[in-house]
Amino acid sequence: MSCLAGKLETDVEINAPSTKFHEIFKHRPHHVSNHASDFVQGCDLHEGEWGAVGSVICWKYFHDGKPKVAKELVEAIDDENNTITFKVLEGDLMEHYKNFRITIKCIPNGDKESVIRWSVEYEKIHDEIIDPHTLLEFFNDLSKDLEKHLAA
């Protein structure tokens, strides 16, 4: 029997300041679809306000060849370390996982470059569910798409 809980990470190097990447996910996640529409089709605020811990947002995204949704709680924001954590409350991921958290850490690498560390922590419903490696690929591709806008 395999372990039901896990954590995966990927680092993505981008040619854009870490603060810009952090700011778009903190204050303007609804703009992500304007710059990476192949991956994200929209982001709506359901409760609270943009950029505030405790707010609830709903992402519409395209992953593994299908349109999907994720309703997420903004669980933590650390501006000093350019980190934001989302806890998935509802949506497609919750069909396979009891718990799912996504953390984005934007690490400066010089003045105009960054390393974006995407971490997912999860607990599967049962041991036949595969680890979410394709979601890390999605985050990698999304980061590279956003890089084009944020580097400008």
Side-chain angles (χ1 to χ4, degrees), residues 3 33 52 66 78 87 109-111 126 132 150-151:
C3 183
S33 62
K66 300 176 194 164
D78 179 347
K87 178 182 179 182
N109 187 17
D111 290 340
H126 55 74
L150 297 174

Side-chain angles (χ1 to χ4, degrees), residues 22-42:
H22 177 68
E23 288 297 314
I24 198 165
F25 279 94
K26 178 183 176 188
H27 290 295
R28 299 184 322 279
H30 52 294
H31 290 187
V32 170
S33 62
N34 296 341
H35 310 296
S37 60
D38 288 347
F39 302 98
V40 176
Q41 287 70 52

Side-chain angles (χ1 to χ4, degrees), residues 120-149:
V120 294
E121 292 182 66
Y122 54 89
E123 182 181 357
K124 302 176 203 176
I125 291 175
H126 55 74
D127 64 0
E128 293 178 14
I129 301 292
I130 61 170
D131 293 334
H133 291 284
T134 62
L135 198 57
L136 292 183
E137 293 170 22
F138 170 88
F139 292 144
N140 182 72
D141 295 343
L142 171 63
S143 300
K144 288 298 192 179
D145 228 26
L146 283 173
E147 171 188 36
K148 298 170 195 167
H149 163 71

